[in-house]
Amino acid sequence: MALFVVAHEPAPDNRSPQARSLRLAADAARQSGLAVIRLPFPFENPDDALPSRLPGDLAVYSGPIPQFPSHYEVLEQSLAARGARLVNAASASEQASRIEHWHLPLGQLSAQTVILRSPADLDAAGALGFPVFLKGLVKSAKESGFEACLARDRDALEARARGAWAQGQTLAARELVPFKRTGVTTMRFPQAREYRVMLLDHEVLHHQFYWAASDPVGSLSEPDRDEMLGLAERASRLLEARLLVVDAGQLDDNNWRVVEVGDSQHTGLAHIPPHRYWTELKDRL
């Protein structure tokens, strides 16, 4: 199969961290010898951006999480009409990207989770034990600090949930897991001993400390490395995505737990070199 990339490449005058990261990813793909087709965002009608003849028959998307699952489905359909497919099917990408879909398959490999769809779910969320960690179905508010992600009692939980429902949003309430702390962000969000693991077809491509270039606790011991990567592989086998990212954190008792998962087509590479990522995909797909 011939691999190519469909990428959202922000304009040079967009200097946000995400924009710089996306441009770097697209440049690295080109330098690795892959053809790159630029996509607008949101890509409600990718037919306008895709050429009639594609440079290959297997595509990797590089860009933000689509605003709606239907956008990714339309991209999948447009590529299929031209004889190509995405490495992650639309159903697999959605399962990996949204906690409402992946928390049940992962079970005890990750924190206990309750999806807050209605007031009937509040009791089950409270049974997780306060404080509970709150996040959207795709992202958390960790950029705003730790307190922005917590409900410390039933009243706070209900207030946050009703505020989300009023805006047409859904929250996930998660057990607050005792991860081993290594520091805090500038917004006072606790940093755990956490690693990002990239997998293809349930096999590890790369792993790297999530928060910085190096792990402040020190290099992973062989038992820690084997347990952490084994956890990531077990999690990947429970999900449909071929190309997956698993974030794994070490607990205070030194065991490991999945923090979250995602479709690696639209997650950051942490400190994994992008050229290495694309070269590995090119060689293996």
Side-chain angles (χ1 to χ4, degrees):
M1 289 189 175
L3 184 68
F4 66 101
V5 180
V6 286
H8 170 57
E9 217 171 343
D13 60 352
N14 185 338
R15 299 181 181 179
S16 70
Q18 183 187 48
R20 289 196 298 270
S21 176
L22 291 171
R23 286 194 295 269
L24 178 64
D27 287 343
R30 291 190 186 92
Q31 292 167 15
S32 300
L34 292 168
V36 177
I37 298 173
R38 296 186 65 174
L39 282 179
F41 189 86
F43 42 85
E44 297 178 25
N45 187 8
D47 275 333
D48 295 338
L50 294 174
S52 56
R53 296 186 64 180
L54 298 173
D57 54 4
L58 183 63
V60 175
Y61 167 66
S62 176
I65 297 174
Q67 291 179 318
F68 302 99
S70 60
H71 291 176
Y72 191 94
E73 291 169 3
V74 170
L75 175 61
E76 181 179 52
Q77 293 162 7
S78 296
L79 289 168
R82 293 164 171 79
R85 60 186 176 85
L86 284 157
V87 64
N88 283 343
S91 60
S93 180
E94 183 175 4
Q95 182 193 42
S97 301
R98 298 173 70 88
I99 191 171
E100 62 183 319
H101 300 312
W102 61 254
H103 81 95
L104 288 176
L106 262 58
Q108 294 302 309
L109 298 185
S110 191
Q112 296 181 65
T113 300
V114 175
I115 306 301
L116 299 173
R117 295 187 173 90
S118 76
D121 298 314
L122 293 172
D123 285 344
L128 297 173
F130 291 105
V132 294
F133 188 89
L134 296 176
K135 70 182 298 294
L137 297 181
V138 176
K139 291 188 65 178
S140 73
K142 65 183 179 183
E143 292 85 358
S144 300
F146 197 38
E147 289 299 320
C149 301
L150 296 182
R152 293 194 172 274
D153 55 35
R154 169 64 184 243
D155 289 343
L157 173 65
E158 184 167 354
R160 292 284 300 278
R162 290 191 181 280
W165 297 331
Q167 298 178 57
Q169 299 173 358
T170 301
L171 293 178
R174 310 200 76 198
E175 164 196 15
L176 194 60
V177 175
F179 286 115
K180 183 175 292 186
R181 296 193 180 188
T182 61
V184 294
T185 68
T186 55
M187 296 303 294
R188 311 304 298 172
F189 189 88
Q191 296 171 326
R193 193 184 194 201
E194 181 179 349
Y195 279 76
R196 172 152 289 183
V197 185
M198 295 280 184
L199 303 104
L200 174 65
D201 294 332
H202 318 305
E203 294 184 359
V204 173
L205 285 174
H206 305 294
H207 68 279
Q208 184 67 41
F209 188 66
Y210 180 87
W211 293 101
S214 61
D215 182 347
V217 177
S219 299
L220 284 168
S221 66
E222 187 172 342
D224 275 343
R225 178 182 178 276
D226 290 346
E227 183 180 351
M228 184 265 293
L229 296 181
L231 172 67
E233 289 176 347
R234 290 198 304 278
S236 75
R237 292 189 183 98
L238 297 170
L239 301 173
E240 299 172 14
R242 294 185 64 194
L243 192 55
L244 185 73
V245 62
V246 176
D247 293 338
Q250 190 172 36
L251 304 175
D252 286 336
D253 65 7
N254 293 324
N255 289 311
W256 292 81
R257 191 81 66 88
V258 172
V259 179
E260 60 184 358
V261 302
D263 180 341
S264 64
Q265 295 180 110
H266 36 67
T267 58
L269 295 180
H271 296 276
I272 296 170
H275 293 88
R276 184 178 172 188
Y277 171 75
W278 289 116
T279 299
E280 286 274 1
L281 290 185
K282 183 181 176 183
D283 292 343
R284 295 200 190 192
L285 286 171

